[in-house]
Amino acid sequence: MTPGPRDDVPARIVAAAAAWLPAHRTDWGRAMAAELAQVRDRAGRWRFAAGAVRVALFLPSGRSRRMLAVALAGLLASAAATAATAAGIPDLAWSVAVLGVLLGGYATFRASRPRLPHRTAPGVMIAVLALTTVAAAIVSVARIAVAHPAAAADNTHVFAVLFAAALAGYLAFALTRSRGQARVVLWWALGTALASGAIWTVIDLTTPVTPVGITGYLWPVGAAAVLAASVAAAAATGDAPAGARAGALTAVLIAPMHFAADLTALVQAGHYTLTTSYDVAAFPHSGYPDVASYLLSDAMAGDVLVGLVLYPLVLCLLALTAVTLLGESIGRNPGGSVTSMLR
């Protein structure tokens, strides 16, 4: 049987497997592509493509062994953390399991890639800040789950999975290095994120907490931080994409930071009162044992959906819009630069 149009798929798979091979094995990739051309039947081409993938993934090399070691360690760590959480705080078990699997997958992927140069000082500080803020977000949820178990109950596991996926995504973005990444991008993202954290700490200490927490303060503080980082980085580097990267990195760093600050403020409030007619009517039929559990559950769900998903996306779009407008301004003034346009 001669290959049909659909037989292009095995060819693409072999090409992808060849591209995955290290530089000193490029001749292997060319040989696989040439050999596939001699395989005529459809089933044989698919078997050959599967073999090419196996060769690319399990090539006898230090990188392959490192991948397998990291994957195994990630699975074991995820299983242990999930078991410990299920025993102590059952309502967090799903979040920990999903977070562990996602981070283990990310670590395995990074182990498969070539080693990048050592991190710079701002890169190390951003990694530490990202890990710290994510840990703070998890601790803030754990505190509520221990003090008010009904507030953390999630029978559908939707918010638990969303919470874990968002945190894993933020960590992956913050920890991933790219070649040629400008130090100024990292410094501006770090500085604006720390400034936001300081402002939210002051708000936590000085502002009376409402039943919806301090979520409303995310917009002015978060928007100002993202705009400052994106515009300043673009001005310093003369590169609009660098500004967009700084703004996105700032949004990623401040999202779990604000989430933790908001829930911490709610827990420290110590008193919970139904303030709207809707809550007064809905609470008796909600199934929650007390007002605190009812309000905290609603606040956590809102913070996961809005604070960890929607707001950061909006802030990233804000950064992209800002640097795009700067780029268009430069395009209308070919003799100018980002820096000169800001003067």
Side-chain angles (χ1 to χ4, degrees):
M1 180 184 296
T2 57
R6 283 192 277 182
D7 286 295
D8 287 336
V9 176
R12 288 195 291 269
I13 294 174
V14 171
W20 183 272
L21 293 172
H24 67 282
R25 297 296 188 186
T26 53
D27 55 334
W28 287 23
R30 288 192 294 268
M32 288 191 298
E35 189 173 348
L36 177 66
Q38 306 305 316
V39 181
R40 299 300 181 182
D41 65 289
R42 183 175 303 174
R45 290 172 68 84
W46 277 101
R47 285 195 299 270
F48 188 93
V53 171
R54 187 185 70 252
V55 169
L57 292 178
F58 302 103
L59 184 69
S61 66
R63 189 187 303 175
S64 297
R65 289 192 293 270
R66 186 169 67 245
M67 283 177 59
L68 292 174
V70 171
L72 181 59
L75 287 175
L76 292 176
S78 177
T82 302
T85 305
I89 314 176
D91 293 312
L92 282 185
W94 267 85
S95 292
V96 172
V98 173
L99 183 62
V101 170
L102 292 178
L103 292 182
Y106 169 75
T108 303
F109 172 77
R110 293 306 306 166
S112 71
R113 310 308 297 162
R115 293 187 182 275
L116 291 173
H118 293 296
R119 290 185 184 273
T120 59
V124 172
M125 295 172 70
I126 280 179
V128 172
L129 180 62
L131 291 168
T132 301
T133 55
V134 166
I138 295 172
V139 169
S140 66
V141 173
R143 290 181 63 187
I144 293 177
V146 171
H148 304 278
D154 182 10
N155 296 329
T156 63
H157 310 300
V158 171
F159 287 101
V161 172
L162 191 61
F163 174 64
L167 294 185
Y170 294 155
L171 274 179
F173 188 85
L175 298 178
T176 299
R177 293 170 289 167
S178 59
R179 297 185 186 276
Q181 192 175 48
R183 291 167 62 95
V184 67
V185 169
L186 302 178
W187 279 122
W188 273 107
L190 178 66
T192 50
L194 290 174
S196 299
I199 293 172
W200 284 325
T201 299
V202 172
I203 292 173
D204 264 349
L205 297 175
T206 60
T207 304
V209 180
T210 66
V212 294
I214 59 173
T215 300
Y217 294 99
L218 175 64
W219 277 108
V221 177
V226 168
L227 279 176
S230 57
V231 173
T237 61
D239 183 35
R245 166 82 182 178
L249 187 54
T250 301
V252 162
L253 291 172
I254 66 177
M257 187 184 301
H258 180 272
F259 179 89
D262 192 39
L263 292 189
T264 299
L266 281 170
V267 171
Q268 292 176 341
H271 61 278
Y272 305 92
T273 306
L274 301 174
T275 57
T276 67
S277 57
Y278 173 82
D279 286 336
V280 170
F283 170 67
H285 311 286
S286 65
Y288 288 96
D290 50 56
V291 172
S293 297
Y294 173 79
L295 293 178
L296 288 172
S297 175
D298 187 59
M300 279 200 300
D303 268 351
V304 169
L305 183 60
V306 177
L308 287 183
V309 179
L310 297 181
Y311 280 168
L313 288 177
V314 172
L315 294 180
C316 288
L317 290 175
L318 182 64
L320 183 60
T321 301
V323 298
T324 299
L325 292 176
L326 283 176
E328 291 177 353
S329 299
I330 295 170
R332 290 192 295 268
N333 299 274
S337 64
V338 175
T339 306
S340 64
M341 292 302 300
L342 294 175
R343 289 175 179 170

